[in-house]
Amino acid sequence: YYGRLYGIGRRKVYRRTEELITLLELWSAGSIVDNLSGGQQRRVSFAVALLHDPQLLILDEPTVGLDPILSHSIWEHLLKLTIKDKKSIIITTHYIEEARQAHMVGLMRGGVLLAEDSPLQLMSRCGSSTLEQAFLELSTKQSGTRTNDDEFDSKEDYPELVKPKPRSPIHKGEIFSTSRFVAQLIKNLFFMWRNKPMMLFLFGLPILQCFLYNLAIGRDPKGLTIAVVNNELENGFAGCASLPSRGCHLDLPLSCRYIDELRTKTFNLIEFDNVTEANEYVRSNKAWGAVHIMHNYTEALLERISLMRDAPEEVVDLSNVNVHLDMSNQYIGNLLRADLVVSFVSFLKSVFKDCDWPEKAADIPIKIEDPIYGSRNPSFIHFASPAVLILFEFYLPVMFTVGVILQEKMAGILERSMVAGLTVLEIVTAHALIQFVVLLGQTAVMMVVMYKVFDSPFIGDFYVTTGLFLLVGVNGMCYGFLVSILAENMSMASFMGFGTFFPLCLTSGMVWPQEGMHPVLRSFGWLLPLSLSTEAIRSLTARGWTIWHRSVLYGYLSTLCWIAVFIVLIYITVRLKKGLRTTAK
């Protein structure tokens, strides 16, 4: 990887690798760095610094934690580089006597350069036999009252930094290099290969989420319990068993036919003797509603049908079916209310038909024709599935991007790579290519599960719909880059991710239609990243509109605009933070 960044040929990389492994007594080249000890990892880092044979080496305590023999070997190699290869090496160390091997030594204390000279000259000036004694002598003079400033050099004796700062010779002014891009691309591929559990999670999670969504949400509840009080029957439900379920038998209790109609809705009907007991059963959370049928119900219903507007009030009251529902659960309450009404209309139409009366006269005088879009029995699953897919398309790339970029950022790999010449454009391009391939696979499995396995409606153009899904994924990837740059650690990134997930989830139309939001929220909710794209997917899959329809076009334009916004924010953030380094400890 670093060989490609430095533009070194493959053969030279292998040769230098073997030389450095021998010099630094490292394990085999195939060892995983994470599996090495801390000392071994430092030596690997040192090897990377030596790999491209630089003219200038700046080393921060290269021998810390090493045994004396290996430390001596490293110093011998460094001295050889300076004498034979004419390299310049700057080393910081707390081992003062170790510095005697250097040609020039600078002693610092409290941010002040006390003296800078050859080791022998420093010891001679201080009248010391060791560098440590010389350092103590100079430190004593610094701490006390100094009468002779010539005893050591001051920081002010050195020239100021030349501005503008010269460009590193590694960069060569290139914004994009194919060699560095390929190196980053190969590194990302190795990262994916070595993190198989993570990749299984990234592909398994959308499949699991789509299955859970379709199996756990949107289906009408079955087997709901209803308490029934039928005062028309002397023997209760048992009396209905011997009565015919069809035919024009107006002298028999019609309430039995209504109860039979309710059973076709898979209700669990529990019989009670009086309304008080039935309502108490509902209050104890054992039933979702109580149905009360009055005595003389059949006689009153037939008289009401016959007299219509002339029917007395007492007849109207006796012909009513009184219902008390538990409306604490809005969905179940509304479902019961609708099923009770639909069941009554169906029961009444069957009576009219058996008696050769006009069957349509028993229906509600509103005729619902075939829908222009959708089916006669729409499902909440079909309504919410575009929002669910859009959320997955947006946040799965966020998870992958944050996981990869932030991990390398916290480990210092990104900063070191950029010091070696890698640019932000090369990092973004290499990751985007890998992420796009992953995104293609995730999109494919989600669409197969949602539209093939569970048969959600899809009547629009496949390529336009898939294109918008992928564009939303790119949008999520850009947001993931922004989070990776802003966050200093995984906790902060998690807060930023979850902090935006729920607002976008609630405003995208997944939980509730956007038309039902508060007017203030609706006034700006359409500006959020996923609002218009969700409606565009719904228009494509359920209505079959083309890309030139305003709803679909706005979804595309909104997504493109948010991609541009995130890219601009990434650029500004990188400039303000002066790179991708992290300050987390």
Side-chain angles (χ1 to χ4, degrees):
Y1 170 65
Y2 285 100
R4 285 182 177 272
L5 290 185
Y6 293 129
I8 305 174
R10 184 185 296 270
R11 291 183 180 179
K12 186 176 180 180
V13 169
Y14 288 152
R15 178 172 56 81
R16 289 288 293 160
T17 300
E18 293 301 323
E19 292 174 357
L20 293 170
I21 287 176
T22 303
L23 170 68
L24 300 174
E25 298 180 8
L26 293 169
W27 287 22
S28 66
S31 302
I32 304 298
V33 177
D34 283 345
N35 297 335
L36 301 178
S37 65
Q40 287 276 346
Q41 290 183 6
R42 286 182 62 86
R43 279 182 262 173
V44 171
S45 178
F46 188 22
V48 171
L50 296 173
L51 178 66
H52 61 299
D53 196 22
Q55 291 298 314
L56 173 64
L57 266 174
I58 303 175
L59 305 175
D60 182 20
E61 302 186 61
T63 59
V64 67
L66 303 181
D67 63 80
I69 297 177
L70 180 57
S71 177
H72 176 74
S73 175
I74 290 175
W75 269 97
E76 288 291 325
H77 182 72
L78 295 178
L79 289 171
K80 176 186 173 184
L81 291 177
T82 59
I83 296 171
K84 182 179 178 181
D85 299 330
K86 307 301 181 182
K87 310 290 187 185
S88 297
I89 302 175
I90 300 175
I91 296 176
T92 63
T93 178
H94 284 87
Y95 302 148
I96 298 178
E97 289 305 312
E98 184 181 62
R100 289 186 66 168
Q101 303 176 75
H103 297 92
M104 184 73 69
V105 175
L107 299 176
M108 294 188 69
R109 181 173 183 265
V112 175
L113 184 61
L114 302 179
E116 183 179 28
D117 212 332
S118 66
L120 292 177
Q121 286 294 331
L122 285 175
M123 290 187 291
S124 175
R125 287 168 53 185
C126 298
S128 305
S129 59
T130 64
L131 274 179
E132 187 169 358
Q133 289 178 351
F135 178 72
L136 291 175
E137 177 69 20
L138 292 170
S139 299
T140 302
K141 290 181 180 181
Q142 182 198 34
S143 301
T145 302
R146 300 184 323 210
T147 58
N148 186 2
D149 289 340
D150 293 334
E151 292 292 333
F152 56 87
D153 297 319
S154 172
K155 285 197 304 180
E156 284 75 12
D157 295 333
Y158 293 90
E160 294 183 357
L161 179 67
V162 178
K163 295 182 180 181
K165 184 171 62 175
R167 180 181 294 274
S168 168
I170 296 176
H171 287 274
K172 300 178 181 178
E174 293 180 331
I175 299 176
F176 187 89
S177 165
T178 304
S179 176
R180 294 195 299 263
F181 166 74
V182 172
Q184 182 72 1
L185 190 65
I186 294 174
K187 179 181 68 65
N188 290 343
L189 290 172
F190 269 102
F191 174 84
M192 294 169 58
W193 176 255
R194 290 173 177 172
N195 289 270
K196 296 182 182 67
M198 185 192 74
M199 300 308 301
L200 289 175
F201 174 79
L202 287 174
F203 281 97
L205 181 63
I207 298 175
L208 178 62
Q209 288 176 327
C210 288
F211 269 96
L212 286 177
Y213 165 74
N214 282 279
L215 295 176
I217 297 176
R219 286 175 168 74
D220 290 338
K222 302 293 184 182
L224 299 176
T225 299
I226 297 178
V228 178
V229 178
N230 193 344
N231 294 138
E232 188 179 37
L233 302 175
E234 295 182 359
N235 299 323
F237 289 170
C240 294
S242 58
L243 299 178
S245 58
R246 303 294 296 177
C248 188
H249 305 288
L250 302 181
D251 55 333
L252 300 177
L254 293 179
S255 58
C256 288
R257 295 185 65 166
Y258 180 48
I259 291 173
D260 289 341
E261 191 67 36
L262 289 178
R263 285 198 174 99
T264 63
K265 298 292 183 181
T266 72
F267 291 136
N268 179 28
L269 304 180
I270 305 296
E271 188 176 13
F272 288 87
D273 295 330
N274 55 72
V275 177
T276 302
E277 292 181 1
N279 288 342
E280 187 61 34
Y281 199 69
V282 176
R283 291 191 184 94
S284 64
N285 198 32
K286 297 179 180 178
W288 287 99
V291 174
H292 179 210
I293 299 175
M294 300 281 194
H295 62 279
N296 295 330
Y297 170 75
T298 300
E299 181 181 347
L301 178 62
L302 293 174
E303 187 174 353
R304 180 175 180 172
I305 293 172
S306 175
L307 298 178
M308 294 298 289
R309 65 179 183 176
D310 296 328
E313 185 175 349
E314 180 182 4
V315 170
V316 173
D317 290 340
L318 289 173
S319 62
N320 283 337
V321 177
N322 300 315
V323 180
H324 296 86
L325 294 176
D326 177 1
M327 293 297 293
S328 60
N329 187 311
Q330 183 193 28
Y331 187 83
I332 291 181
N334 288 335
L335 177 68
L336 283 174
R337 184 160 53 188
D339 282 348
L340 289 171
V341 172
V342 170
S343 297
F344 181 83
V345 172
S346 179
F347 137 73
L348 200 60
K349 289 173 67 175
S350 69
V351 172
F352 272 54
K353 180 179 180 181
D354 290 345
C355 293
D356 292 329
W357 298 343
E359 184 178 348
K360 293 182 179 180
D363 205 348
I364 298 175
I366 296 178
K367 185 178 181 182
I368 305 297
E369 302 287 356
D370 291 336
I372 297 175
Y373 296 115
S375 63
R376 281 186 173 270
N377 299 304
S379 170
F380 179 80
I381 295 179
H382 298 161
F383 164 78
S385 59
V388 171
L389 287 176
I390 285 291
L391 281 170
F392 292 167
E393 286 285 337
F394 185 81
Y395 275 100
L396 287 172
V398 172
M399 292 170 56
F400 182 73
T401 302
V402 170
V404 174
I405 300 296
L406 192 56
Q407 181 179 352
E408 293 192 354
K409 177 184 171 184
M410 293 175 63
I413 298 175
L414 275 184
E415 186 175 0
R416 183 160 191 174
S417 298
M418 295 184 73
V419 170
L422 193 67
T423 64
V424 174
L425 178 61
E426 291 159 354
I427 294 172
V428 172
T429 307
H431 177 80
L433 182 59
I434 295 294
Q435 173 63 80
F436 192 76
V437 174
V438 174
L439 184 63
L440 281 174
Q442 292 172 329
T443 303
V445 296
M446 287 192 294
M447 292 184 70
V448 167
V449 172
M450 195 69 76
Y451 295 117
K452 290 295 183 182
V453 176
F454 290 100
D455 200 27
S456 288
F458 192 112
I459 60 175
D461 186 272
F462 172 79
Y463 297 104
V464 175
T465 306
T466 305
L468 184 53
F469 276 137
L470 294 177
L471 203 60
V472 171
V474 174
N475 193 15
M477 180 176 60
C478 294
Y479 178 65
F481 272 115
L482 182 61
V483 171
S484 302
I485 296 170
L486 290 173
E488 298 293 344
N489 49 58
M490 285 297 182
S491 297
M492 185 176 177
S494 299
F495 292 148
M496 295 178 67
F498 284 115
T500 56
F501 175 81
F502 289 104
L504 292 180
C505 178
L506 295 174
T507 57
S508 65
M510 172 184 174
V511 178
W512 203 253
Q514 296 175 6
E515 291 78 5
M517 296 179 186
H518 190 278
V520 175
L521 183 59
R522 285 186 62 189
S523 65
F524 66 86
W526 63 273
L527 288 170
L528 297 177
L530 304 184
S531 299
L532 293 178
S533 56
T534 298
E535 192 58 36
I537 290 294
R538 189 173 287 126
S539 299
L540 284 165
T541 57
R543 300 184 178 107
W545 291 346
T546 67
I547 191 174
W548 303 116
H549 191 280
R550 184 175 61 180
S551 176
V552 180
L553 191 60
Y554 283 177
Y556 265 91
L557 293 177
S558 171
T559 306
L560 289 171
C561 287
W562 274 105
I563 291 174
V565 168
F566 288 139
I567 290 175
V568 171
L569 290 176
I570 290 169
Y571 176 79
I572 294 173
T573 306
V574 170
R575 293 298 296 261
L576 291 176
K577 299 188 72 172
K578 297 178 180 171
L580 301 179
R581 65 178 59 86
T582 178
T583 58
K585 300 298 182 183

